């Protein structure tokens, strides 16, 4: 991961890695009788966005609460670069054909490609902000730079199905550079969602979780997004997303990305894919791939689908 990051080639065409935050001071907040019937709570909270755990909806909720009187913004830890795009019109074709060369005769980088932004001003701001992460404070104990950083985690097997639907070109990922190849390999020609799921497990096992950002283990996402700092992170199970949405004054039933909504995913096979499609061998293989997440859950005292298939180390 570090090598890919330093070479500016990690998760190309993927979404930015962000940390939204909000400081909620009840006297400064507008009334929200629809979702905050008992009044606002005083918080300084932030979030590391773990993909496919309701994070997009929560990021939107952080933005919405700022419109209700909270202070806050969205910090960017990492902005992935873009892979070269194929020319789509005559002007772009001409630009590509006339692409200049450097003095040594080597081709310059295509104007349709950009490298990842690493260690820049955005990274530095995020790093300084993360140094203020603390365990949750009582109402009158928040310091000026204190904030409680939260993350949401989801059963690894359930999250993998959601990741498949996203990585194959769902909303926000159609330009990830691998969606078409994934569909060709594991969706086209498959007769059932079970057959497709088995193919994706084998594909990620062979090609690693670096295939696409949404396949990244949750434990690694949290470590990366917190810049590997030794700071506290409040980890919530996926089932708590509605409660977190309410705390931010948003509709607890809002889903920015709903994989089971007809038309959201690229195929009915993907839309209908569910936990029922796993058999024991598939689950064992999946749990080996995401063993670090299963151990993470076990350490947190959270049950997950891998429990019957793994022997956990004694800590």
């Amino acid at each position: 991961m570090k090598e890919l990051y330093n070479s500016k080639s990690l998760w190309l065409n993927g979404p930015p890695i962000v940390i939204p935050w909000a400081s909620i001071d009840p006297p400064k907040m507008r009334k929200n009788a629809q979702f905050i019937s008992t009044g606002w709570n005083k918080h300084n909270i932030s979030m590391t966005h773990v993909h496919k755990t309701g994070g997009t909806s929560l990021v939107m909720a952080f933005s919405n609460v700022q419109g209700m009187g909270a202070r806050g913004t969205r910090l960017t830890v990492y902005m992935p670069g873009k892979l070269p795009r194929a020319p789509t019109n005559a002007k772009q074709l001409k630009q590509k054909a006339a692409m200049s060369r450097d003095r040594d005769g080597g081709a310059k980088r295509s104007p349709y490609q950009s490298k990842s932004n690493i260690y820049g001003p955005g990274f530095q701001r995020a790093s300084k902000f993360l140094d203020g992460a603390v365990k949750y404070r009582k109402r009158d104990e928040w310091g000026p730079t204190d904030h409680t950083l939260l993350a949401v985690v989801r059963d690894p097997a359930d999250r993998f199905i959601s990741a498949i639907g996203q990585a194959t070109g769902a909303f926000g990922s159609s330009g990830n550079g691998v969606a078409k190849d994934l569909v060709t390999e594991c969706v086209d020609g498959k007769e059932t969602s079970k057959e497709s799921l088995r193919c994706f497990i084998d594909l990620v096992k062979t090609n690693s979780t670096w295939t696409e950002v949404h396949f990244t283990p949750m434990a690694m996402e949290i470590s990366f997004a917190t810049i590997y700092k030794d700071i506290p992170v409040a980890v919530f199970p996926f089932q708590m997303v509605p409660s977190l949405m309410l705390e931010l004054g948003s509709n607890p039933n809002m889903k920015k990305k709903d994989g089971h909504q007809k038309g959201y995913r690229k195929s009915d096979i993907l839309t209908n894919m569910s936990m029922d499609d796993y058999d024991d061998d598939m689950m064992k293989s999946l749990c080996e791939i995401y063993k670090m997440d299963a151990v993470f859950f076990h350490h947190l005292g959270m049950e997950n689908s891998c429990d019957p298939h793994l022997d956990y180390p004694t800590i």
Side-chain angles (χ1 to χ4, degrees), residues 51-53 153-166 193 196-198 200-201 204 209 214-218 238-239 260 265 270 272-295 297 302-310 312:
H51 291 96
K52 308 318 300 174
T53 65
V153 294
R154 182 177 185 177
D155 181 274
D158 188 34
R159 177 177 179 260
F160 185 70
I161 290 173
S162 183
I164 290 170
Q166 192 66 42
S193 54
S196 179
L197 178 58
R198 185 186 302 276
F200 277 108
I201 293 172
V204 173
T209 55
H214 295 91
F215 293 127
T216 307
M218 292 174 282
F238 182 62
Q239 294 78 6
H260 292 292
R265 293 178 180 171
L270 298 175
N272 297 328
M273 191 177 288
S274 72
M275 292 288 287
D276 293 336
D277 290 317
Y278 285 101
D279 59 30
D280 279 350
D281 287 340
M282 292 161 64
M283 186 63 76
K284 288 177 182 176
S285 294
L286 189 281
C287 292
E288 284 298 324
I289 297 170
Y290 290 98
K291 187 173 183 178
M292 71 170 66
D293 282 342
V295 172
F297 267 68
M302 298 180 185
E303 295 182 353
N304 72 95
S305 296
C306 292
D307 287 344
H309 303 282
L310 295 175
Y312 294 114

Side-chain angles (χ1 to χ4, degrees), residues 18-22 45-66 73-74 150-153 234 236-257:
V18 300
I19 297 177
W21 70 273
I45 51 176
S46 57
M47 183 186 77
T48 171
H49 179 181
V50 180
H51 291 96
K52 308 318 300 174
T53 65
T56 301
S57 297
L58 285 166
V59 168
M60 293 298 297
F62 270 92
S63 295
N64 292 340
V65 78
Q66 293 172 39
T73 189
R74 188 183 305 174
L150 66 90
V152 177
V153 294
F236 291 85
F238 182 62
Q239 294 78 6
M240 290 294 293
V241 169
S243 296
L244 294 171
M245 295 286 287
L246 272 176
E247 201 63 37
L248 291 166
S250 287
N251 183 350
N253 299 314
M254 182 187 77
K255 293 183 179 180
K256 183 66 176 177
K257 297 179 178 180

Side-chain angles (χ1 to χ4, degrees), residues 45 56 77-78 115 131 136 156 182 221 230 254 260 312:
I45 51 176
T56 301
V77 174
Y78 176 57
K115 284 196 172 184
D131 289 337
Y136 194 75
L182 293 176
E221 278 211 62
D230 184 12
M254 182 187 77
H260 292 292
Y312 294 114

